[in-house]
Amino acid sequence: LGPLLVALGCTPQPVAATSAYVVFITATSGLCQVCIFGTLPYDYALLFASMGIVSTFVGQTVVDWLVRRFKQDAIVVLVIGTVMLIALLLMTMAGLREAFHGNED
């Protein structure tokens, strides 16, 4: 969603906020589904939720500092693009591994 909004001419801060909101809604709906089916491991949920909160705070603080220091709003777009590139690479690697090795768990 982020690159589409940037291509449509939106400024970086609203793009980042909109993307974060969409991710929050998607994650919350997935969490509700897992809770309804009763398959949520609460110890892992607590661990990853706390890691996510700390990581969000640290990441937002660093990006805000970089934007203020260099006075470039494009840093937000660069961060979004970098995250998307990393996700693309990881999903490609996981797909290739499953295609070649199958479910050997």
Side-chain angles (χ1 to χ4, degrees):
L1 183 63
L4 176 64
L5 292 174
V6 170
L8 291 173
C10 294
T11 57
Q13 277 81 10
V15 169
T18 303
S19 296
Y21 180 72
V22 169
V23 167
F24 173 74
I25 294 299
T26 304
T28 302
S29 68
L31 175 64
C32 290
Q33 190 174 20
V34 169
C35 287
I36 288 169
F37 289 130
T39 58
L40 179 67
Y42 290 103
D43 52 346
Y44 285 117
L46 183 63
L47 172 70
F48 287 118
S50 58
M51 285 176 49
I53 290 170
V54 170
S55 299
T56 299
F57 176 74
V58 170
Q60 187 65 49
T61 304
V62 169
V63 169
D64 286 345
W65 178 80
L66 287 171
V67 168
R68 278 194 313 273
R69 171 138 165 61
F70 295 108
K71 295 176 180 53
Q72 293 290 326
D73 290 341
I75 292 172
V76 175
V77 176
L78 180 64
V79 169
I80 292 172
T82 302
V83 168
M84 290 181 66
L85 180 64
I86 291 170
L88 171 74
L89 293 173
L90 290 174
M91 288 187 334
T92 302
M93 288 172 40
L96 288 173
R97 183 178 55 202
E98 180 153 343
F100 289 118
H101 298 293
N103 289 334
E104 296 177 354
D105 297 334

